[in-house]
Amino acid sequence: MTRFIFVTGGVVSSLGKGIATASIGRLLRSRGLNVRLQKLDPYINVDADTMNPFQHGEAFVTDDGAVTDLDLGHYERFTNIALTRHSSVTTGSVYRDVIAAERRGDYDGATVQTIPHVTNAIKDRIRLVAKTGKNERKVDVVVAEVGGTVGDIEGLPFLEAIRQMRADVGLRNVMYIHVTLVPGVGPWDEQKTKPTQHSVIKLREIGIHPDMLICRSKRQMSDDMLRKISLFCDVPVCAVIPSVDTSTVYDVPLKLEVAGVAEQIVKRFGLRCDPPDLDAWQRIVRRITSNTRRVHVAVVGKYVDNSDAYISIREALHHAAAAADCNVMITWVNSRGLRSSDIAKAVNGANAMVVAPGFGVDGIEGKLHAVQHARVTGLPFLGICLGMQMAVVEFARNVAGIPDAESGEVDPATPNPVVHIMPEQRLRGNRGGTMRLGSRECQLAANSLASRLYGVETIRERHRHRYEVNNDYRARLIGAGMDCSGTSPDGKFVEIVEIPGHPFFIGCQFHPEFQSRPDLPHPLFVGLVKAALDRAEREAAGDAGRTHTAAAPADGVSNV
């Protein structure tokens, strides 16, 4: 029988439940177990497709086209499992299914209620993620994270559903792990256990007794504190796990392994498995934390005020830097209000640039100025989704002789829409979940930069967009010196553009950041970081063709 681990959180949000869930998945995978991960999100949205990045952070996309919470990105990066839409459950999607079932008459005229109908629907979705195909290996463990905090009104149906799972599948097949906060207060930063105690009390009022506590803190907790938490929360002291801040999230699985988390899970479930193999993961962490070589990358985007909005890009840069045996320092540049006269100062000290994805009109001109700067100065450049589209617009205006070239997203009435809405998108009434989504095949041109980076000529990448390069302008762009080096197999869509002769200039319509892993960094990001290293070395030798010398702040936000 599949075992189920439910991860809940208390006291405050953003405690790191997603990292804890992903780390548990990594530890179980390292023992040869077949693991699936799932996020149970209490918000009423059907998915994350229409959610504002300023409020919610990044929307992550799976191979099968689900637009999900950013925690699924953590799950995939830590476990190397390509998740599906079954790994994302929201209140909106559950209620949509329940109402559809009621309209079909599936409930035989019963009064539809939260219990049992909504909770049954949630449990069905939990079981669904554990199902496998005919020739697939059975799932040993499902690790499901419940979003929000204990006590949230919208989360009560999910907590009730996971409480019922214990009776449905058996006490020994369910484990509850509660992530909580041990804050430091006062002038001496005295650590307090009361928030943890009250969070556990609230959870027990709902009918869930945690089997393990992961206690987040800024600094190490004493043995006396661990025993106090054990006593007041009625959890064995060995199951009170301290989780102290680390320099990289990829160190968390190693810390939890030392604390005995996986061994307790294996023992609780009576699982037969291999000894843990974390050697490769340890090497990754050493590379991330010990490199002294450094490159600076400027990321130009519209949502830099929320550090989670571009979290996969940030992590992909760190993965690539580790592979290139260096560290990366990221300068976040806000494209809103960014003028051409500002751009040199904003990216001063950067060895490379990423122009990030986004939607809407705000910040577009700033992205165009950034693209032009990278193209003219030879700064290694990677444009992603909207970033690629702005690269096409900028090139069309300033190189291909189309001064009024524009994206149809910015100006639907433009006479020269070098980027336009895809025909199948024009009549869409609903906005959510209707874009070109999920994994798509792309054919790379032989001898192109893209084919050299990937080492193959056919790739699959994840998409999320409504606008594409207008094929009516493709020949003109190519004639002016821009290569369309990646296309859909039928040639209908331009997926990659590049400028031969530039040290490194490539734009992609898809989102390569979604498939980057610590132990399998994405080729486009690796290429960018290596080009940045080369530029840094030439700058040190006085041969970079520019005068940017000031150091960029690490992970700082430029307010230019």
Side-chain angles (χ1 to χ4, degrees), residues 441-448 450-452 454-459 485-487:
E441 195 170 273
C442 174
Q443 190 70 31
L444 305 181
N447 302 316
S448 63
S451 66
R452 293 196 299 273
Y454 280 96
V456 296
E457 293 189 356
T458 301
I459 60 172
S485 58
T487 63

PDB file of all heavy atoms in Angstrom, residues 441-448 450-452 454-459 485-487:
ATOM      1  N   GLU A 441       7.775  20.189 -28.590  1.00  0.00           N
ATOM      2  CA  GLU A 441       9.000  19.834 -29.292  1.00  0.00           C
ATOM      3  C   GLU A 441       9.509  21.011 -30.101  1.00  0.00           C
ATOM      4  O   GLU A 441       8.737  21.813 -30.624  1.00  0.00           O
ATOM      5  CB  GLU A 441       8.739  18.631 -30.201  1.00  0.00           C
ATOM      6  CG  GLU A 441      10.004  17.955 -30.705  1.00  0.00           C
ATOM      7  CD  GLU A 441       9.713  16.629 -31.398  1.00  0.00           C
ATOM      8  OE1 GLU A 441       9.643  15.591 -30.689  1.00  0.00           O
ATOM      9  OE2 GLU A 441       9.528  16.641 -32.631  1.00  0.00           O
ATOM     10  N   CYS A 442      10.826  21.118 -30.200  1.00  0.00           N
ATOM     11  CA  CYS A 442      11.461  22.200 -30.942  1.00  0.00           C
ATOM     12  C   CYS A 442      12.604  21.614 -31.767  1.00  0.00           C
ATOM     13  O   CYS A 442      13.399  20.812 -31.262  1.00  0.00           O
ATOM     14  CB  CYS A 442      11.985  23.267 -29.988  1.00  0.00           C
ATOM     15  SG  CYS A 442      12.932  24.588 -30.757  1.00  0.00           S
ATOM     16  N   GLN A 443      12.685  22.011 -33.026  1.00  0.00           N
ATOM     17  CA  GLN A 443      13.741  21.566 -33.931  1.00  0.00           C
ATOM     18  C   GLN A 443      14.797  22.660 -34.024  1.00  0.00           C
ATOM     19  O   GLN A 443      14.487  23.818 -34.310  1.00  0.00           O
ATOM     20  CB  GLN A 443      13.164  21.270 -35.321  1.00  0.00           C
ATOM     21  CG  GLN A 443      14.127  20.573 -36.257  1.00  0.00           C
ATOM     22  CD  GLN A 443      14.410  19.130 -35.845  1.00  0.00           C
ATOM     23  OE1 GLN A 443      13.530  18.468 -35.272  1.00  0.00           O
ATOM     24  NE2 GLN A 443      15.611  18.647 -36.124  1.00  0.00           N
ATOM     25  N   LEU A 444      16.055  22.310 -33.781  1.00  0.00           N
ATOM     26  CA  LEU A 444      17.145  23.276 -33.791  1.00  0.00           C
ATOM     27  C   LEU A 444      17.890  23.232 -35.120  1.00  0.00           C
ATOM     28  O   LEU A 444      18.113  22.156 -35.691  1.00  0.00           O
ATOM     29  CB  LEU A 444      18.123  22.993 -32.652  1.00  0.00           C
ATOM     30  CG  LEU A 444      17.536  22.922 -31.242  1.00  0.00           C
ATOM     31  CD1 LEU A 444      18.642  22.663 -30.224  1.00  0.00           C
ATOM     32  CD2 LEU A 444      16.771  24.186 -30.899  1.00  0.00           C
ATOM     33  N   ALA A 445      18.294  24.405 -35.605  1.00  0.00           N
ATOM     34  CA  ALA A 445      19.060  24.488 -36.843  1.00  0.00           C
ATOM     35  C   ALA A 445      20.466  23.951 -36.613  1.00  0.00           C
ATOM     36  O   ALA A 445      21.092  24.219 -35.579  1.00  0.00           O
ATOM     37  CB  ALA A 445      19.113  25.931 -37.333  1.00  0.00           C
ATOM     38  N   ALA A 446      20.967  23.188 -37.575  1.00  0.00           N
ATOM     39  CA  ALA A 446      22.315  22.637 -37.472  1.00  0.00           C
ATOM     40  C   ALA A 446      23.338  23.772 -37.386  1.00  0.00           C
ATOM     41  O   ALA A 446      23.192  24.813 -38.034  1.00  0.00           O
ATOM     42  CB  ALA A 446      22.606  21.741 -38.672  1.00  0.00           C
ATOM     43  N   ASN A 447      24.363  23.554 -36.576  1.00  0.00           N
ATOM     44  CA  ASN A 447      25.471  24.504 -36.425  1.00  0.00           C
ATOM     45  C   ASN A 447      25.058  25.827 -35.785  1.00  0.00           C
ATOM     46  O   ASN A 447      25.816  26.793 -35.819  1.00  0.00           O
ATOM     47  CB  ASN A 447      26.148  24.777 -37.777  1.00  0.00           C
ATOM     48  CG  ASN A 447      26.682  23.511 -38.415  1.00  0.00           C
ATOM     49  OD1 ASN A 447      27.297  22.684 -37.739  1.00  0.00           O
ATOM     50  ND2 ASN A 447      26.423  23.337 -39.708  1.00  0.00           N
ATOM     51  N   SER A 448      23.881  25.887 -35.217  1.00  0.00           N
ATOM     52  CA  SER A 448      23.449  27.097 -34.518  1.00  0.00           C
ATOM     53  C   SER A 448      24.023  27.095 -33.102  1.00  0.00           C
ATOM     54  O   SER A 448      24.479  26.061 -32.593  1.00  0.00           O
ATOM     55  CB  SER A 448      21.928  27.166 -34.456  1.00  0.00           C
ATOM     56  OG  SER A 448      21.407  26.071 -33.712  1.00  0.00           O
ATOM     57  N   ALA A 450      22.237  27.402 -30.489  1.00  0.00           N
ATOM     58  CA  ALA A 450      21.315  26.562 -29.711  1.00  0.00           C
ATOM     59  C   ALA A 450      21.682  25.092 -29.816  1.00  0.00           C
ATOM     60  O   ALA A 450      21.729  24.373 -28.808  1.00  0.00           O
ATOM     61  CB  ALA A 450      19.884  26.793 -30.176  1.00  0.00           C
ATOM     62  N   SER A 451      21.963  24.623 -31.039  1.00  0.00           N
ATOM     63  CA  SER A 451      22.287  23.202 -31.208  1.00  0.00           C
ATOM     64  C   SER A 451      23.619  22.860 -30.550  1.00  0.00           C
ATOM     65  O   SER A 451      23.792  21.757 -30.021  1.00  0.00           O
ATOM     66  CB  SER A 451      22.314  22.835 -32.697  1.00  0.00           C
ATOM     67  OG  SER A 451      23.373  23.483 -33.362  1.00  0.00           O
ATOM     68  N   ARG A 452      24.556  23.804 -30.532  1.00  0.00           N
ATOM     69  CA  ARG A 452      25.838  23.551 -29.857  1.00  0.00           C
ATOM     70  C   ARG A 452      25.644  23.480 -28.346  1.00  0.00           C
ATOM     71  O   ARG A 452      26.278  22.673 -27.670  1.00  0.00           O
ATOM     72  CB  ARG A 452      26.854  24.637 -30.219  1.00  0.00           C
ATOM     73  CG  ARG A 452      27.283  24.616 -31.676  1.00  0.00           C
ATOM     74  CD  ARG A 452      28.543  25.439 -31.895  1.00  0.00           C
ATOM     75  NE  ARG A 452      28.375  26.840 -31.542  1.00  0.00           N
ATOM     76  CZ  ARG A 452      27.920  27.775 -32.360  1.00  0.00           C
ATOM     77  NH1 ARG A 452      27.560  27.453 -33.607  1.00  0.00           N
ATOM     78  NH2 ARG A 452      27.812  29.037 -31.972  1.00  0.00           N
ATOM     79  N   TYR A 454      22.815  22.635 -26.687  1.00  0.00           N
ATOM     80  CA  TYR A 454      22.047  21.443 -26.307  1.00  0.00           C
ATOM     81  C   TYR A 454      22.763  20.153 -26.675  1.00  0.00           C
ATOM     82  O   TYR A 454      22.562  19.127 -26.020  1.00  0.00           O
ATOM     83  CB  TYR A 454      20.680  21.471 -26.994  1.00  0.00           C
ATOM     84  CG  TYR A 454      19.641  22.347 -26.333  1.00  0.00           C
ATOM     85  CD1 TYR A 454      19.416  23.649 -26.764  1.00  0.00           C
ATOM     86  CD2 TYR A 454      18.859  21.868 -25.289  1.00  0.00           C
ATOM     87  CE1 TYR A 454      18.444  24.450 -26.175  1.00  0.00           C
ATOM     88  CE2 TYR A 454      17.884  22.664 -24.694  1.00  0.00           C
ATOM     89  CZ  TYR A 454      17.687  23.958 -25.141  1.00  0.00           C
ATOM     90  OH  TYR A 454      16.718  24.741 -24.549  1.00  0.00           O
ATOM     91  N   GLY A 455      23.560  20.184 -27.753  1.00  0.00           N
ATOM     92  CA  GLY A 455      24.223  18.974 -28.214  1.00  0.00           C
ATOM     93  C   GLY A 455      23.325  18.026 -28.978  1.00  0.00           C
ATOM     94  O   GLY A 455      23.718  16.914 -29.303  1.00  0.00           O
ATOM     95  N   VAL A 456      22.109  18.446 -29.258  1.00  0.00           N
ATOM     96  CA  VAL A 456      21.153  17.663 -30.042  1.00  0.00           C
ATOM     97  C   VAL A 456      20.413  18.624 -30.964  1.00  0.00           C
ATOM     98  O   VAL A 456      20.555  19.835 -30.860  1.00  0.00           O
ATOM     99  CB  VAL A 456      20.138  16.907 -29.150  1.00  0.00           C
ATOM    100  CG1 VAL A 456      20.842  15.872 -28.289  1.00  0.00           C
ATOM    101  CG2 VAL A 456      19.370  17.885 -28.260  1.00  0.00           C
ATOM    102  N   GLU A 457      19.609  18.089 -31.846  1.00  0.00           N
ATOM    103  CA  GLU A 457      18.875  18.953 -32.774  1.00  0.00           C
ATOM    104  C   GLU A 457      17.373  18.938 -32.540  1.00  0.00           C
ATOM    105  O   GLU A 457      16.643  19.677 -33.201  1.00  0.00           O
ATOM    106  CB  GLU A 457      19.209  18.586 -34.228  1.00  0.00           C
ATOM    107  CG  GLU A 457      20.661  18.893 -34.577  1.00  0.00           C
ATOM    108  CD  GLU A 457      20.971  18.747 -36.048  1.00  0.00           C
ATOM    109  OE1 GLU A 457      20.064  18.327 -36.806  1.00  0.00           O
ATOM    110  OE2 GLU A 457      22.115  19.028 -36.443  1.00  0.00           O
ATOM    111  N   THR A 458      16.904  18.105 -31.609  1.00  0.00           N
ATOM    112  CA  THR A 458      15.486  18.105 -31.245  1.00  0.00           C
ATOM    113  C   THR A 458      15.382  18.143 -29.722  1.00  0.00           C
ATOM    114  O   THR A 458      16.009  17.336 -29.029  1.00  0.00           O
ATOM    115  CB  THR A 458      14.760  16.858 -31.776  1.00  0.00           C
ATOM    116  OG1 THR A 458      14.875  16.805 -33.201  1.00  0.00           O
ATOM    117  CG2 THR A 458      13.278  16.917 -31.417  1.00  0.00           C
ATOM    118  N   ILE A 459      14.608  19.098 -29.209  1.00  0.00           N
ATOM    119  CA  ILE A 459      14.470  19.273 -27.759  1.00  0.00           C
ATOM    120  C   ILE A 459      12.996  19.376 -27.399  1.00  0.00           C
ATOM    121  O   ILE A 459      12.133  19.527 -28.277  1.00  0.00           O
ATOM    122  CB  ILE A 459      15.206  20.544 -27.277  1.00  0.00           C
ATOM    123  CG1 ILE A 459      14.634  21.789 -27.975  1.00  0.00           C
ATOM    124  CG2 ILE A 459      16.702  20.419 -27.519  1.00  0.00           C
ATOM    125  CD1 ILE A 459      15.153  23.100 -27.451  1.00  0.00           C
ATOM    126  N   SER A 485      16.717  30.090 -35.040  1.00  0.00           N
ATOM    127  CA  SER A 485      17.459  28.832 -34.968  1.00  0.00           C
ATOM    128  C   SER A 485      16.675  27.694 -34.336  1.00  0.00           C
ATOM    129  O   SER A 485      17.148  26.552 -34.322  1.00  0.00           O
ATOM    130  CB  SER A 485      18.756  29.043 -34.194  1.00  0.00           C
ATOM    131  OG  SER A 485      18.480  29.526 -32.893  1.00  0.00           O
ATOM    132  N   GLY A 486      15.490  27.982 -33.822  1.00  0.00           N
ATOM    133  CA  GLY A 486      14.655  26.936 -33.252  1.00  0.00           C
ATOM    134  C   GLY A 486      13.214  27.158 -33.643  1.00  0.00           C
ATOM    135  O   GLY A 486      12.691  28.271 -33.481  1.00  0.00           O
ATOM    136  N   THR A 487      12.575  26.144 -34.173  1.00  0.00           N
ATOM    137  CA  THR A 487      11.172  26.252 -34.588  1.00  0.00           C
ATOM    138  C   THR A 487      10.414  25.007 -34.161  1.00  0.00           C
ATOM    139  O   THR A 487      11.007  23.969 -33.862  1.00  0.00           O
ATOM    140  CB  THR A 487      11.033  26.415 -36.121  1.00  0.00           C
ATOM    141  OG1 THR A 487      11.545  25.235 -36.766  1.00  0.00           O
ATOM    142  CG2 THR A 487      11.797  27.641 -36.622  1.00  0.00           C
TER     143      THR A 487
END
